[in-house]
Amino acid sequence: MNRTAIPFGSPLYVMLKPVGSRCNLACRYCYYLDKERHEEMTDELLDEFTRQYLEAQTQPEVLFTWHGGEPLLRPITFYEKALKIQQRYAHGRTIDNCLQTNGTLITKEWCQFFHDNNFLIGISIDGPQDLHDAYRIGHNHQQSSWQQVMRAIELLNQYGVMWNAMATVNHLTADEPQRFYRFFREIGCQFLQFTPVVERHQGVVADYSVSPRQWGGFLCGVYDEWVQQDIGEIFVQLFDATLANWIGEPPGLCSMSPLCGRCAAMESNGDVYSCDHFVFPDHYLGNIRTSTLTSMLYGERQQQFGRSKLERMSRQCRECSYLFACHGECPRNRFVTDCYGEAHHNYLCAGYQQFFEHVALDMDFMKKELEAGQSPANLMLCKGKSGKK
């Protein structure tokens, strides 16, 4: 392959769904519930994807991200085969694997496999049992998945498997930020990422979604807990991304980046879409059996998808003094009008603005510390145990 034909020098990611959207849970807020369920990925397609994915990369380190649905519905033998195929096409590249799971199917055998092959595991858990079980339920409507997930975390720790917590923030969890965050601290979580639930049905925001007011209060509440003693000990993805944007570095979080288009999604039948949140006909790029990942992901259509985040932005957003901090957040949430009556305004804007105003002085302090070669954790010395400067 002619490497000079690829004009970009940053990593490219594709979320791979070996079982499509099929899952053993039926979480009430899941945006996959109305998606088509594809058959399991064939060995032939796995081989073809792996070859194309590695050839499309311009960096020596490559990350495979296994997603779903629930990817552990495929057996360990499937992933053993996937690792062998990766090595066949690696050609000297360093390959890592990340698997995102609801945790209910994790066993000792899975943990041994994850440990032996250096997998990073993303565990979906929405905090304490009552908050988690309110929406993360099985197809038989039993409210018991939390116990299974906690058992999975115990096993991951027992086998020394690196994991991070992936929590959604809905209208229930948003009202209890302190209890939510303290739960993750108590279970030994070091890496925490949370995603706001914003779902619409026939154009109406679902009642389980987080409101802009709740989102702002939640972020401020969690931040106030974190900043007292956990800087450098617990890594909260959104706080890290905010600080990165504050100092002018890439945030490592697509929703907080100026452009989209670097993280596509492939269904188990080979269909490729611009993003996992845009698996719709308008954002269908093709199938790897008839088109190459290189042509689809570096092609003009995907590049335009990436640029549209910057181009389709409301006037209120463009004028905001905190635009640099969130870049309008994820386009999937831009469905309201702004104060000028312009479209493409972010539903959660007021919440983000509340958060940025709340942390601005702290971010300025941590930026100065980093510029001086010091640790941003020095902020905790200024705040003391009270959490106030």
Side-chain angles (χ1 to χ4, degrees):
M1 176 180 168
N2 182 5
R3 301 295 294 175
T4 61
I6 299 178
F8 303 101
S10 57
L12 186 82
Y13 305 103
V14 176
M15 297 178 69
L16 190 60
K17 297 191 275 188
V19 295
S21 58
R22 189 161 61 89
C23 187
N24 62 319
L25 295 183
C27 304
R28 289 174 178 166
Y29 53 65
C30 181
Y31 57 89
Y32 285 148
L33 291 179
D34 59 349
K35 299 295 184 185
E36 179 181 355
R37 265 62 172 169
H38 297 291
E39 297 296 325
E40 292 184 345
M41 181 175 293
T42 65
D43 293 350
E44 169 267 327
L45 189 62
L46 174 64
D47 188 287
E48 182 65 16
F49 168 82
T50 304
R51 180 184 64 81
Q52 289 195 30
Y53 187 58
L54 285 165
E55 288 182 350
Q57 302 293 332
T58 62
Q59 302 293 301
E61 295 84 23
V62 181
L63 178 67
F64 282 76
T65 302
W66 304 93
H67 200 262
E70 175 47 56
L72 295 191
L73 289 173
R74 298 303 302 267
I76 291 176
T77 53
F78 171 82
Y79 294 98
E80 290 174 335
K81 187 179 304 179
L83 294 178
K84 291 179 181 178
I85 296 173
Q86 289 173 6
Q87 291 308 310
R88 185 188 310 157
Y89 296 115
H91 301 307
R93 296 182 183 88
T94 299
I95 295 178
D96 291 307
N97 286 272
C98 171
L99 187 143
Q100 301 179 13
T101 173
N102 62 40
T104 60
L105 302 178
I106 288 180
T107 62
K108 294 180 179 180
E109 291 74 21
W110 275 113
C111 289
Q112 188 67 61
F113 172 79
F114 295 148
H115 172 270
D116 293 347
N117 295 285
N118 199 33
F119 269 60
L120 169 64
I121 304 301
I123 290 281
S124 294
I125 180 169
D126 287 352
Q129 184 170 5
D130 60 316
L131 298 178
H132 175 94
D133 282 342
Y135 290 112
R136 298 193 63 80
I137 59 176
H139 292 281
N140 58 1
H141 301 293
Q142 291 183 352
Q143 310 277 313
S144 60
S145 68
W146 187 84
Q147 295 284 358
Q148 295 170 286
V149 180
M150 290 300 296
R151 173 58 178 161
I153 291 174
E154 291 177 6
L155 287 173
L156 292 172
N157 288 333
Q158 179 181 333
Y159 281 81
V161 178
M162 182 175 290
W163 61 276
N164 59 42
M166 305 169 63
T168 60
V169 181
N170 55 60
H171 75 119
L172 296 178
T173 54
D175 284 338
E176 300 196 58
Q178 288 82 13
R179 186 162 77 98
F180 174 91
Y181 179 74
R182 289 169 186 169
F183 165 81
F184 287 102
R185 180 196 289 148
E186 289 167 2
I187 67 171
C189 175
Q190 289 186 289
F191 301 93
L192 173 61
Q193 49 186 289
F194 38 75
T195 302
V197 173
V198 179
E199 293 299 322
R200 292 181 293 163
H201 301 298
Q202 298 181 338
V204 178
V205 176
D207 58 5
Y208 50 71
S209 298
V210 62
S211 71
R213 177 194 60 79
Q214 285 183 308
W215 182 235
F218 172 83
L219 293 180
C220 293
V222 171
Y223 177 84
D224 288 345
E225 283 286 318
W226 172 80
V227 78
Q228 292 186 49
Q229 59 183 359
D230 293 330
I231 300 176
E233 298 294 329
I234 298 177
F235 298 89
V236 181
Q237 186 185 44
L238 194 143
F239 300 163
D240 289 346
T242 299
L243 181 57
N245 276 334
W246 224 268
I247 64 177
E249 293 292 330
L253 181 60
C254 61
S255 64
M256 308 287 275
S257 300
L259 300 175
C260 289
R262 283 292 170 193
C263 187
M266 193 183 88
E267 297 286 353
S268 57
N269 65 350
D271 287 342
V272 179
Y273 292 86
S274 292
C275 172
D276 188 48
H277 288 290
F278 289 87
V279 181
F280 304 112
D282 289 348
H283 299 285
Y284 173 69
L285 298 177
N287 189 288
I288 64 166
R289 289 191 173 96
T290 55
S291 302
T292 66
L293 283 175
T294 300
S295 64
M296 288 186 281
L297 302 183
Y298 292 108
E300 177 56 28
R301 188 173 180 184
Q302 181 69 348
Q303 299 313 306
Q304 180 55 46
F305 172 80
R307 293 191 298 268
S308 68
K309 178 175 182 178
L310 179 63
E311 296 168 355
R312 302 182 71 185
M313 185 179 293
S314 69
R315 176 182 171 184
Q316 182 179 342
C317 193
R318 294 193 303 270
E319 294 178 351
C320 179
S321 59
Y322 295 115
L323 177 59
F324 73 93
C326 74
H327 299 287
E329 207 245 4
C330 183
R332 72 186 292 266
N333 292 327
R334 296 182 184 178
F335 56 82
V336 297
T337 56
D338 68 2
C339 62
Y340 300 106
E342 286 195 11
H344 308 304
H345 192 61
N346 196 296
Y347 168 77
L348 295 172
C349 173
Y352 278 109
Q353 189 166 24
Q354 178 186 350
F355 169 66
F356 295 140
E357 290 174 352
H358 186 73
V359 304
L361 292 178
D362 288 353
M363 291 294 161
D364 288 342
F365 178 92
M366 289 190 283
K367 176 182 178 179
K368 291 178 181 178
E369 290 296 289
L370 287 169
E371 290 173 344
Q374 302 297 315
S375 169
N378 289 336
L379 176 62
M380 295 186 294
L381 300 176
C382 296
K383 286 182 170 290
K385 293 183 180 180
S386 67
K388 297 178 180 179
K389 289 188 194 176

